[in-house]
Amino acid sequence: MDINSLITDSRVAFLNGQFANSLEIALQAVKADQTSADAYTCAANACMSLEKYEQAVEYYKSAVRNEPNNGDRYFFLGYAYASVNKTVDAIKALTKAEELKCSKENLATLYQLMGLVCFDAGKIDDALINLKKAEYCAGPNIELLSRMVIIYGIKKDTKKGLFTTNQMKLLAPSDYTGYKYAFNFLIQAKKFDKAEEELRKAEKFANLNMDYYTDRMTLELKKSDQSDKERYSRGLKWLSDGLRACKPSFNDVRDAYVNSAELYLQLEEPDRTIDCLNAAQGVVSAFNNGFSIIPETFETKTLTEYDVEEMMEADHISNEEKYGIDGITEMAESIEADELGNRDYLTDIDDDEEDAPETAPYKLNDSDASELKPELRDQINRLFVGAYTLKNDYDMIIRYAKALQASTSSHNSYMGRYAEVNAMLKAGYPQAEEEYDKLITFLQRLSQVGQLGIKLVLTVLHEQRGQTEVL
């Protein structure tokens, strides 16, 4: 079979989703002609779909070597570099693709990819320029505009950020994303009334998801007086309502449980804090078995005869207002059957009418589960420490403080060590004084080399030990 036929067959297999077969045929084409850039590109494309990214890079590099003046070859190479997080190499390849004028169908993707790569590299101004170029070439899309909004948020450019969120809402008025970003800008600008108005717009036009209810919680915490502890209870209500009203994802549910734990800790309810944290570590089981952020309570009330009389009188007044003085009597007479037993207001039901199928309650699947990110793991451990501190349960404080010490964040690790030593001191452990002295010495050394935040920890420790000397 000639080289052109092999390349054609490889492309057809690729389009049909037969990636392994496409790669096999492409390698036959490479063997038949090692100077064919198309053969190497077919092999690389198949490898990308098979998630063999390193191999794909090598095949794209071979395609570039065979056609060094073809911008599209550099474009695909840059895309592959970006897939394996080789940011510098990706920028170089994509810049070369632009210089060599890659095809128009790849140009918009090139600029959008350049924007994403520059953003990940921390070059937000270059990222914004490239994203605007992508918008100019192919028009706006939600992913592109979302990234631009994030950049405007970093730059604290509220005006341009809100303009971009309006573009998002024009493109997809029923998508909550645009409203969410607008809400975040308004919260950042401390325009709480406008932020609330944005949420009302979302209620009217968007398909609400768990983000909406989380934003409602955020608004309660931000707009209320800091002395108003009831704002935490209102925040809990929004999270609870969201889990009932939506079909939340695994991460939505876990975030709601952790946020609820934060709120309960502020309310100084350690047991509910711990319940929510345990649910956050067993999300699927907790959600599917009906764990409720706000426990349902039932109160029984014994009615006296006076209560009953007042309720009956209230019903009479309500009925007279709705139907008139004789309204109920007339309504009863109007629904009496005629002499043949017929009632004209009833709807005839055909025998072939089927009952609507019962909808099964929404459940999470174990396959939806995702690993805890380090930041979330640290947050959970900190909350456990806080909850058990309220309960004066020193053994449990030490347990979770030690877990916090394993954090990749030096700040969290130091705070974990501090929490452990502090619990040991309060519990009267015999080795507590020795561990305290070791911690003080260690932190003083860090403070001397300029570790941020260490002096604050030292100050707290010294104050707790009755030592107020200036550090």
Side-chain angles (χ1 to χ4, degrees):
M1 187 176 294
D2 63 41
I3 182 71
N4 291 329
S5 297
L6 288 169
I7 290 171
T8 298
D9 289 348
S10 176
R11 287 172 174 166
V12 170
F14 182 87
L15 292 173
N16 289 328
Q18 300 169 353
F19 305 124
N21 188 33
S22 174
L23 176 59
E24 183 181 346
I25 298 170
L27 292 178
Q28 293 177 34
V30 167
K31 188 175 181 180
D33 184 358
Q34 295 185 8
T35 66
S36 171
D38 283 340
Y40 283 110
T41 298
C42 284
N45 291 344
C47 285
M48 289 290 288
S49 295
L50 292 168
E51 298 182 0
K52 298 179 179 180
Y53 300 118
E54 295 290 352
Q55 286 181 250
V57 167
E58 294 306 314
Y59 288 133
Y60 282 133
K61 285 166 71 174
S62 296
V64 164
R65 281 194 293 269
N66 285 330
E67 286 189 4
N69 296 318
N70 186 322
D72 287 334
R73 307 302 183 193
Y74 283 96
F75 165 74
F76 289 118
L77 177 60
Y79 190 95
Y81 275 135
S83 300
V84 292
N85 296 316
K86 293 186 176 180
T87 303
V88 175
D89 291 330
I91 291 174
K92 287 180 180 178
L94 294 171
T95 301
K96 188 68 174 178
E98 181 186 23
E99 179 187 321
L100 293 172
K101 300 186 184 330
C102 68
S103 58
K104 288 184 178 180
E105 58 264 27
N106 290 331
L107 194 58
T109 306
L110 181 149
Y111 286 132
Q112 186 161 343
L113 186 57
M114 279 281 281
L116 300 180
V117 170
C118 288
F119 180 88
D120 291 339
K123 301 179 178 180
I124 59 172
D125 290 327
D126 291 340
L128 188 57
I129 289 170
N130 282 293
L131 292 172
K132 286 182 176 178
K133 287 181 178 179
E135 183 183 12
Y136 176 79
C137 289
N141 61 64
I142 294 295
E143 181 184 359
L144 185 152
L145 294 175
S146 295
R147 190 65 64 155
M148 290 172 68
V149 163
I150 293 171
I151 293 173
Y152 287 130
I154 294 171
K155 295 166 73 71
K156 296 184 178 178
D157 192 335
T158 301
K159 186 174 182 179
K160 289 182 179 177
L162 290 174
F163 176 81
T164 308
T165 62
N166 280 338
Q167 286 183 283
M168 296 176 72
K169 287 187 275 186
L170 285 170
L171 277 177
S174 64
D175 188 338
Y176 181 66
T177 307
Y179 303 91
K180 176 180 177 60
Y181 283 130
F183 170 82
N184 289 339
F185 275 109
L186 295 168
I187 288 289
Q188 188 180 52
K190 296 184 178 180
K191 296 181 178 180
F192 302 130
D193 289 340
K194 288 191 173 182
E196 188 166 13
E197 183 182 340
E198 192 66 32
L199 295 181
R200 284 198 293 269
K201 290 177 184 176
E203 290 171 6
K204 186 175 181 180
F205 298 107
N207 296 321
L208 303 181
N209 55 25
M210 197 62 204
D211 285 341
Y212 163 78
Y213 293 91
T214 303
D215 289 340
R216 274 290 181 185
M217 175 204 71
T218 300
L219 184 63
E220 288 290 352
L221 301 182
K222 295 288 186 180
K223 74 174 184 178
S224 302
D225 188 277
Q226 295 304 298
S227 62
D228 176 18
K229 296 202 76 171
E230 283 303 309
R231 70 187 192 277
Y232 300 122
S233 297
R234 294 193 295 271
L236 286 166
K237 178 72 165 53
W238 280 113
L239 293 176
S240 180
D241 288 349
L243 292 181
R244 286 188 173 93
C246 303
K247 291 185 176 180
S249 68
F250 177 91
N251 288 334
D252 287 337
V253 176
R254 182 164 60 190
D255 289 345
Y257 291 161
V258 174
N259 285 332
S260 298
E262 289 270 14
L263 297 176
Y264 275 120
L265 191 61
Q266 293 298 325
L267 289 168
E268 298 184 4
E269 296 188 28
D271 291 328
R272 286 304 299 163
T273 302
I274 292 166
D275 288 343
C276 289
L277 292 173
N278 286 330
Q281 296 183 103
V283 175
V284 175
S285 175
F287 183 81
N288 290 349
N289 287 305
F291 175 79
S292 179
I293 288 172
I294 302 175
E296 296 180 0
T297 57
F298 301 93
E299 295 182 5
T300 58
K301 182 179 179 182
T302 303
L303 296 177
T304 67
E305 58 182 285
Y306 300 107
D307 294 326
V308 175
E309 287 179 3
E310 285 182 3
M311 292 169 64
M312 291 176 65
E313 182 61 25
D315 285 343
H316 286 313
I317 293 171
S318 176
N319 288 332
E320 285 183 4
E321 289 176 352
K322 288 182 180 178
Y323 309 111
I325 296 176
D326 299 320
I328 295 295
T329 303
E330 292 173 356
M331 186 182 299
E333 292 174 352
S334 69
I335 62 175
E336 287 293 330
D338 61 20
E339 61 274 11
L340 298 177
N342 297 319
R343 290 177 172 87
D344 293 337
Y345 53 85
L346 297 180
T347 303
D348 292 333
I349 301 174
D350 296 334
D351 291 337
D352 58 354
E353 292 285 352
E354 295 183 1
D355 293 335
E358 291 186 7
T359 304
Y362 176 72
K363 300 285 186 181
L364 293 176
N365 295 316
D366 288 323
S367 59
D368 298 329
S370 62
E371 292 185 7
L372 276 176
K373 292 183 178 179
E375 300 83 4
L376 191 57
R377 169 60 64 190
D378 289 349
Q379 183 182 6
I380 289 173
N381 287 329
R382 286 198 310 271
L383 290 169
F384 269 125
V385 168
Y388 284 114
T389 298
L390 289 175
K391 292 170 70 71
N392 294 320
D393 188 335
Y394 301 118
D395 289 338
M396 294 302 289
I397 293 171
I398 291 169
R399 171 184 170 183
Y400 286 102
K402 285 182 175 179
L404 191 56
Q405 290 171 51
S407 170
T408 55
S409 162
S410 57
H411 174 75
N412 287 329
S413 182
Y414 301 148
M415 293 308 297
R417 183 72 179 118
Y418 155 71
E420 179 189 11
V421 171
N422 190 46
M424 291 172 69
L425 286 167
K426 289 185 175 181
Y429 281 29
Q431 71 274 34
E433 292 288 347
E434 181 184 350
E435 292 298 322
Y436 169 81
D437 290 337
K438 286 181 182 178
L439 178 60
I440 287 292
T441 302
F442 173 68
L443 294 178
Q444 283 175 335
R445 287 175 182 167
L446 292 178
S447 178
Q448 289 168 4
V449 296
Q451 286 276 358
L452 294 176
I454 298 303
K455 286 194 175 184
L456 175 61
V457 178
L458 279 166
T459 301
V460 172
L461 282 169
H462 277 287
E463 286 176 351
Q464 290 192 344
R465 300 292 291 160
Q467 302 174 32
T468 57
E469 66 266 24
V470 177
L471 299 173

